[in-house]
Amino acid sequence: MKLFKSTIQLGDFLVFTLLILYAALFVLYPILLVVVESFREPTTQAFTFSHYIKFFSDPYYYRCLINSLSAALLTVIVTSLIGIPLAYILSRYKLAGKTLYTALSLLPILLPPYVGAFAFIILFGKAGVLNLLLLEHNIIREPIDFLNGLHGVVFVESIHLLPFVVITSAAGMTQIDPSFEEIAEVAGAHGFYRTLTITLPLISPQYVSGVFLVMSYVLGDWLTPLILGQKDYLASVAYLNIAYHFTDIERKYMGIIAAVLASIFSVIVLLAARYFIEKKSYTVLSKGTTAEGRVIPIRGVKKALAYLYVAVIMLFVLLSPFVISVAAFSRRWVLTPFPSYWTFENIRMLFIELPNYIWNTIVYSTLATLVALPVALGTSYILARTNIPGKNFLDGILVSILAIPGIMVGVGYLIGFDYPIPFINESLSRIWLIMPLVLAARRLPYLARNTHASFLQLEKSLEEAAYVAGSSRLLTFLTISLPLIMRGVFAGMILFFVMAMQEISSTIFLYKPGWETLPIGIYLQWNRGTEFGVPAAAAFILIVLTLLLLLLLSKIGGRVLGGAFSI
């Protein structure tokens, strides 16, 4: 029976129309507004290419472009070389504590990247722990700045973005029918050769999804390079020129163009990734897989090496949370390898004097989840269960925001919604609701893709049976479909929530006093030159909240989680 896609139902068309309106208003409109602004002459408002000509004629901005592309490509290489072996170990080998390792491997991406930058500066900066220990033991005479330069940016970004490659690759490996690898082994392909010729080609669509996420994230990250003292990157110069030189018209437009170019290159990567995925999608008839996929027994030296590799990666993954946690309970950690004074004052100050950081983070993320959930469910239903023309266009709009730097979105919301709302006589950009709305749009793809993946795994015959019995589409969705996909939806909601908690790229342009979230509070406290203890305490609270949700997510994870990172 083909009860889903034979005709277009009025209810489906209404849902599709509402989703298109949402996508047009909260995704397309603010982004296109910034693009149009980049071609506008400030005095006459006429169309012009002059800003782009100035940008590409200036060697400094050209260097920013090259640096951004170089950092993105190098980060992809490093995360791939480290992440694919880790994904293979976690998905193929049965290790004690596997659930914990999986949860910890996700931790970096679910924390603000600049938190890791702070931690690595404490450890590896010129006045960091490593240099102080080396000087103390007379191993070196002058401090070494291990993080100064492109290699420092790539190092910090690689640690932060490693989960994208690990999650997508591991999800792909668990979906491979074990019989493919078993047949290859019977034919004589073992070990690394089997992995190279069978496993890696089969997971290439999932892996490419991870590569896109890594590249787009690096291209849009403005704060990590700034924390490391590096300003010559597209996103960084965009933030500095727009936020601090808004009255300098020429610099402001150079910043807008830098944001537009970062978006253009990210969209190019997105389109290339989607083309590759569609070209390389594998549909097979097989006996299927278990929830874990294929499990390979190992022992002896091989098992010891697997544990050692995981341990080394976990060490780097846990370095930044550990350092931040220590700093949160220390009062003096300056020019000494270890803190000299311990205190709860930082935590007390956060809860007593700055409680709005925590409250706003939870409230905004919760409201954003409530906004994004019906959009994600509606989009997933339209994609999986209807043949409405334009449904792929809708999907493309919602997914495309992954490729758009937060600067672009934040500035677009700031400009685009600075008009009075009817009956309220106040612009949306001046109401705190703008914060959860931008969070919902920015993080929607993680929830929508996870929900869509769950829909695709749902057997249609169950819904068709309900239709035959006389149930309406809405009732069938609420009583049959939604309960059956709730595992994937819940996993997507948790992932969405923790990703919303750590957003700063867009919200930094929109917040007003009293609207600060934990990420914004961390940045403000650091930028004001206060002791690192207070921002470290805020980061510690964020780590605790994230880790608790992450442990819950890892219980639900596996193939369900992998759907959130598909494109």
Side-chain angles (χ1 to χ4, degrees), residues 108 111-130 145 147 152-153 155-157 159-160 221-229 316 318-328 330 333 502 504 508 518-540 542-543:
L111 294 175
Y114 57 86
V115 170
F118 286 139
F120 287 122
I121 287 174
I122 292 175
L123 289 174
F124 305 120
K126 293 188 71 173
V129 173
L130 181 58
D145 194 343
L147 300 176
V153 175
F155 170 72
V156 175
E157 295 283 20
I159 297 297
H160 176 63
D221 186 6
W222 56 271
L223 187 48
T224 299
L226 287 183
I227 297 297
L228 297 175
F316 279 97
L318 291 173
L319 270 179
S320 57
F322 175 75
V323 171
I324 294 299
S325 300
V326 171
S330 64
W333 194 356
Q502 59 106 34
I504 185 176
I508 193 71
L518 279 170
I520 294 174
I522 295 167
Y523 173 66
L524 292 177
Q525 292 295 324
W526 169 79
N527 203 37
R528 289 167 182 166
T530 58
E531 290 189 17
F532 189 59
V534 175
F540 175 75
L542 191 59
I543 289 172

Side-chain angles (χ1 to χ4, degrees), residues 181-239:
E181 293 183 344
E182 291 166 359
I183 292 171
E185 290 174 352
V186 171
H190 296 278
F192 181 74
Y193 183 73
R194 181 207 65 226
T195 302
L196 191 64
T197 58
I198 302 297
T199 307
L200 293 185
L202 288 174
I203 70 165
S204 58
Q206 291 88 349
Y207 165 72
V208 169
S209 295
V211 166
F212 156 70
L213 292 169
V214 170
M215 292 198 70
S216 63
Y217 208 108
V218 176
L219 288 171
D221 186 6
W222 56 271
L223 187 48
T224 299
L226 287 183
I227 297 297
L228 297 175
Q230 307 294 308
K231 301 179 181 179
D232 300 346
Y233 292 84
L234 281 180
S236 300
V237 78
Y239 171 74

Side-chain angles (χ1 to χ4, degrees), residues 27 31 117 121 146 266 285 291 301 304 322 396 403 474 561:
V27 179
I31 294 171
I121 287 174
F146 295 100
S266 292
L285 296 175
V301 176
F322 175 75
L474 178 60
L561 180 59

Side-chain angles (χ1 to χ4, degrees), residues 432-444:
W432 63 269
L433 284 173
I434 194 74
M435 299 289 277
L437 285 175
V438 76
L439 291 177
R442 281 280 288 158
R443 300 309 186 186
L444 177 62

Side-chain angles (χ1 to χ4, degrees), residues 31 34-35 38-39 52 238 255-265 405 408:
I31 294 171
V34 179
V35 175
S38 71
F39 289 101
Y52 284 88
I256 290 175
I257 290 171
V260 171
L261 288 176
S263 303
I264 289 173
F265 280 102
M408 197 75 169

Side-chain angles (χ1 to χ4, degrees), residues 547-562:
L547 189 56
L548 291 174
L549 291 169
L550 197 56
L551 288 172
L552 178 60
L553 183 62
S554 66
K555 289 290 186 181
I556 305 171
R559 288 186 290 179
V560 174
L561 180 59

Side-chain angles (χ1 to χ4, degrees), residues 349 410 512 562:
M349 181 179 293
K512 289 179 172 50

